[in-house]
Amino acid sequence: MLKVISYNLRKHRASSELLNLAQDFDVNVLCLQECDTTDLPPTLGPLHLADSTKGNRLGLAMYYHKDRFTALDTNTFALKKSLHDYVLSPAHERLLGVKLVDNETQHELVVGSFHAAPLTATNSLRRHQIKAGHAELLTMGGEGMTLMVGDFNYPFFTKNLISHLKETGYELTLSNRRTYTRYKVFQGHFDFATSLGLNIESVETLPRGESDHLPILVSAEYLS
C-alpha cells in the first residue's frame, strides 16, 4: 500500500504540523503546497526532502520515505498562467514531479505536487493546467504509473472534470469529506487525487490544523 499526504500549508502557517503528520500516519510521500521552501528541514523523521520549487512566492515541496523509495529524478514545471499570476505575485512553477522506485516491489512511479490557479481563474484554465500537468509527469517515465495530488481549486462542476479526465485515461478521486470549509460560499473538495495505473483504495480528509485547507491521505495500490 502506498500512502501519500497532500497539504496546502496556507502560506506556511501549518509547517509545524508536518513532523506529526509524517509520523502519525506512517506516510511514504508528503506533498506540500504554499510552503516557504527556504524554511523546510531536509528531513521529517523518516522522510527526506526530494525537491522543492525555487521561483515561487508560495512554493511546492515533496518528501519521501528513504527506506521505502529511491528518488530517481525530480523536475518542476511552469503551467499556463492566469490573470492572477500576471497581476499579483507570479507562480512560475505550479507542479513538482518526482520519479520514484519502490525498493520493495521495484515499481517505478511518478508523484506530482500540484497547485492550480486560484478561483479568480476559469475552470477551463484549470483543466488546461491539469491536463498539461499530467502530460509533463508522463514525460518523466514511471512505467505509466502517475499520482498527482494537491490543491486543484476546483470545488464546483467536478463531475465535468471527471469526464474530461477519463478521456485521457486518468481517474479523479475525491476525499470522504470536504477539504476547505473556511468560507460559507467556497466550501468543497479543493484537494484531491488524480491517478493513472494505480488503484486508489481511499482518500481521507484528515483533521483540521492551522491551514484553511484540510490535509488528505491517499491510499493506493499498483494495478500490476
Side-chain angles (χ1 to χ4, degrees), residues 20-176:
N20 285 341
L21 281 174
Q23 294 177 335
D24 293 349
F25 296 96
D26 192 27
V27 296
N28 308 124
V29 181
L30 176 63
C31 296
L32 305 176
Q33 305 88 43
E34 289 199 20
C35 56
D36 180 354
T37 57
T38 65
D39 190 39
L40 290 174
T43 59
L44 288 167
L47 301 185
H48 177 79
L49 181 63
D51 203 356
S52 62
T53 55
K54 305 299 188 289
N56 292 14
R57 179 175 61 89
L58 298 173
L60 305 168
M62 193 182 307
Y63 289 83
Y64 69 100
H65 199 297
K66 288 193 73 173
D67 292 338
R68 173 73 185 273
F69 290 99
T70 299
L72 301 179
D73 189 22
T74 70
N75 207 345
T76 58
F77 303 98
L79 305 178
K80 186 175 181 180
K81 289 183 171 61
S82 67
L83 180 62
H84 175 93
D85 294 326
Y86 286 111
V87 174
L88 300 175
S89 299
H92 301 290
E93 303 152 311
R94 287 200 171 274
L95 176 64
L96 167 66
V98 178
K99 182 179 179 181
L100 301 166
V101 60
D102 191 321
N103 296 328
E104 296 179 0
T105 67
Q106 300 307 306
H107 284 92
E108 291 185 3
L109 73 153
V110 176
V111 181
S113 181
F114 172 71
H115 193 183
L119 292 178
T120 51
T122 63
N123 275 350
S124 175
L125 184 137
R126 279 185 287 274
R127 285 197 301 272
H128 184 283
Q129 291 179 331
I130 294 166
K131 184 177 180 180
H134 288 159
E136 296 286 13
L137 293 179
L138 283 175
T139 65
M140 297 183 68
E143 299 178 344
M145 294 183 184
T146 305
L147 177 67
M148 189 168 87
V149 296
D151 178 4
F152 286 74
N153 276 318
Y154 210 112
F156 311 119
F157 309 110
T158 328
K159 289 183 179 179
N160 190 27
L161 177 60
I162 290 172
S163 64
H164 275 280
L165 291 184
K166 282 187 175 179
E167 296 175 2
T168 65
Y170 276 83
E171 295 287 337
L172 185 157
T173 311
L174 298 176
S175 58
N176 59 332

